[in-house]
Amino acid sequence: MRAFLASSIGVTCAAVLVLPPAVPAGAVPDTHTAPAEPSDVPGSTQSLPLSPLPAPSGRATGDPTRTAEAAEQGLSEHEVRPFSMVGVVWDDVDTELHGTVQVRTRALGTTRWSGWQDLETHNAEHAADPGSAERESGTVRGSTAPLWVGESDGVAVRVRPESTDPQDRSAPAVPLPTGLRLELVDPGKDPQPLPEAGAEAGDTGDGRTTPLDGSVLPALSRAETEARSEAEAGLAPGAQPYIGPRPRIITRKGWGADEKLREPAFVYTKSVKAAFIHHSATGNNYKCTQAPSVLRGIYRYHVKSGGWRDIGYNFAIDKCGNIYEGRAGGVTKAVLGAHTRGFNSNSTGIAVLGTFTGSNPPAAAVNAIAKLTAWKLGLFGADPRGKATLVSGGGNKFKKGKKVKLDVISGHRDGFATECPGARLYKQLGSVRTSSARLQGR
């Protein structure tokens, strides 16, 4: 991800082209070509097209020498139905957006507008591998990372392309992708409150212990984890397992995933040789009690706005260290995710909710990464301090088919040229490897 997004752009909101009024309350929003959602599905997505700004006085709209300022697209301050997460998408997933995207939002029921906030424009690196069924489905779109803004009912957006020559103000702009749309995500209401840690649990009948409502997998001691590891991971009887204690995991039911949104089938790879650590780039302005809503927002954005088959990450961790099940298919399984383009096979993707390019990740979140990797990697016999050889599925750092030796616990940037998981979180991965191995008993 790029760390050099501009903090401001010299265009006022009043200069942005005013679009028709927002969709009235109760109307069906534009959701591209996706089928209408049943009325009982929690949450919603509003999709609004962006339009070009007028060219400066004396210059024709079709002039090929238009500057970046003249080529801007956007949406004026606009009243909309309530939403909490915002992103921008475009038609072609293989087209990059070279420029800056900024949004401004109004807090729900107030006249209070935020300042301009940047959206991370390079979300294609969190994606399915080139050539995979998910990538080639025909439904996948280009997209920014989504940004959590809290409950809002007003929005403005401006998209400014880069100049072909930053030193020349008259230089033409790099063309923006076609079909730019603003996506406003309402994650819906939270499910029932989660059981507290240590709440009464029952046996589901398939070897797992879980709260009776299925919303949380409770933590297990190391002895309990090892006792069931043979059934969960197929370890040979009598083999010495190096598996960390299973941490408490909030299931998809626990964070309120609407299973009607995703594709019903599951896709697996052979093993889990490595874990890639990410930040979600959704910002740090959320409370831990809001983390399930943030996760539902990312899920809905990935599926409904981006055209993915499910949420891309296998697991998520909030700033308080709570661990969440991500892509469906079973937390003990080698579920194929869409988190590290080129290296989704035989790996697992763990996203810390937040942005850690310039902010330090909370210690609770870093500790949770160690706990989760000690258990998950242990199920597949992987040493957190070791190396793993993976075959690239194609990306901007390694060609397709190249065998690459990576740390068993790697940052996203190790497999793809990106800023993810942010410089501050990336610096913590050395201590994570040590802690994870210790939890495995190594």
Side-chain angles (χ1 to χ4, degrees), residues 41-42 187 189 191 251-262 292 295-296 299-300 310-311 325-328:
V41 172
K189 301 296 183 182
T251 66
R252 289 171 64 90
K253 180 178 180 180
W255 55 265
D258 180 359
E259 303 300 353
K260 299 184 186 72
L261 295 182
R262 64 172 175 84
L295 203 53
R296 290 197 306 278
Y299 172 42
R300 173 171 280 275
D310 193 352
I311 191 171
E325 177 185 12
R327 180 163 286 207

Side-chain angles (χ1 to χ4, degrees), residues 379-403:
L379 292 176
F380 294 87
D383 183 346
R385 301 166 302 181
K387 300 284 186 178
T389 299
L390 301 176
V391 179
S392 173
N396 65 357
K397 194 169 184 177
F398 301 103
K399 293 182 178 179
K400 185 173 183 178
K402 183 178 178 59
K403 293 183 178 179

Side-chain angles (χ1 to χ4, degrees), residues 230-255:
E230 180 180 337
E232 288 184 338
L235 296 178
Q240 174 61 50
Y242 289 99
I243 304 175
R246 187 180 75 188
R248 180 176 182 263
I249 301 174
I250 298 169
T251 66
R252 289 171 64 90
K253 180 178 180 180
W255 55 265

Side-chain angles (χ1 to χ4, degrees), residues 42-407:
S44 64
T45 301
Q46 300 172 72
S47 186
L48 305 174
L50 304 188
S51 296
L53 300 180
S57 178
R59 181 174 293 169
T61 302
D63 188 339
T65 63
R66 292 180 70 201
T67 63
E69 182 175 346
E72 201 172 82
Q73 293 191 29
L75 177 69
S76 67
E77 291 185 354
H78 213 66
E79 186 168 342
V80 293
R81 296 196 307 277
F83 68 98
S84 296
M85 183 168 278
V86 59
V88 169
V89 302
W90 53 93
D91 293 338
D92 185 3
V93 66
D94 293 318
T95 299
E96 293 187 19
L97 194 162
H98 294 284
T100 57
V101 180
Q102 293 186 314
V103 296
R104 190 167 178 245
T105 57
R106 184 183 66 190
L108 180 66
T110 73
T111 58
R112 188 171 64 253
W113 284 83
S114 72
W116 289 103
Q117 300 182 78
D118 294 319
L119 299 187
E120 172 52 63
T121 60
H122 291 73
N123 199 38
E125 59 215 31
H126 300 265
D129 291 346
S132 66
E134 181 172 3
R135 177 82 174 189
E136 306 302 325
S137 65
T139 65
V140 181
R141 305 178 186 91
S143 61
T144 68
L147 179 70
W148 177 260
V149 294
E151 289 188 300
S152 305
D153 59 8
V155 67
V157 62
R158 56 193 187 188
V159 182
R160 186 180 191 184
E162 293 176 354
S163 171
T164 54
D165 183 356
Q167 305 303 317
D168 182 1
R169 289 182 59 85
S170 65
V174 178
L176 289 172
T178 60
L180 286 170
R181 303 182 71 88
L182 178 67
E183 302 287 292
L184 304 174
V185 179
D186 170 14
K189 301 296 183 182
D190 282 325
Q192 295 297 317
L194 295 170
E196 296 294 332
E200 182 179 359
D203 190 341
T204 64
D206 61 358
R208 295 180 295 121
T209 301
T210 181
L212 296 177
D213 69 352
S215 60
V216 175
L217 296 176
L220 298 178
S221 69
R222 187 176 175 194
E224 290 172 324
T225 301
E226 291 179 355
R228 60 183 69 221
S229 63
E230 180 180 337
E232 288 184 338
L235 296 178
Q240 174 61 50
Y242 289 99
I243 304 175
R246 187 180 75 188
R248 180 176 182 263
I249 301 174
I250 298 169
T251 66
R252 289 171 64 90
K253 180 178 180 180
W255 55 265
D258 180 359
E259 303 300 353
K260 299 184 186 72
L261 295 182
R262 64 172 175 84
E263 289 187 9
F266 307 130
V267 182
Y268 301 97
T269 59
K270 293 180 179 179
S271 185
V272 176
K273 297 181 179 180
F276 286 97
I277 310 305
H278 306 261
H279 66 176
S280 63
T282 49
N284 303 319
N285 296 323
Y286 71 93
K287 299 177 182 178
C288 291
T289 54
Q290 296 175 309
S293 293
V294 175
L295 203 53
R296 290 197 306 278
I298 296 172
Y299 172 42
R300 173 171 280 275
Y301 184 74
H302 281 180
V303 176
K304 302 300 291 184
S305 301
W308 301 10
R309 69 187 314 274
D310 193 352
I311 191 171
Y313 307 114
N314 297 104
F315 295 93
I317 295 171
D318 68 24
K319 64 174 67 175
C320 291
N322 295 304
I323 298 171
Y324 302 84
E325 177 185 12
R327 180 163 286 207
V331 293
T332 65
K333 305 293 186 181
V335 178
L336 177 66
H339 49 84
T340 304
R341 194 174 81 184
F343 292 101
N344 290 303
S345 292
N346 299 321
S347 71
T348 193
I350 301 169
V352 181
L353 301 180
T355 304
F356 304 107
T357 303
S359 300
N360 290 322
V366 175
N367 292 336
I369 298 172
K371 292 176 182 178
L372 177 56
T373 53
W375 171 71
K376 180 68 177 184
L377 293 171
L379 292 176
F380 294 87
D383 183 346
R385 301 166 302 181
K387 300 284 186 178
T389 299
L390 301 176
V391 179
S392 173
N396 65 357
K397 194 169 184 177
F398 301 103
K399 293 182 178 179
K400 185 173 183 178
K402 183 178 178 59
K403 293 183 178 179
V404 184
K405 184 173 285 188
L406 297 165
D407 288 315

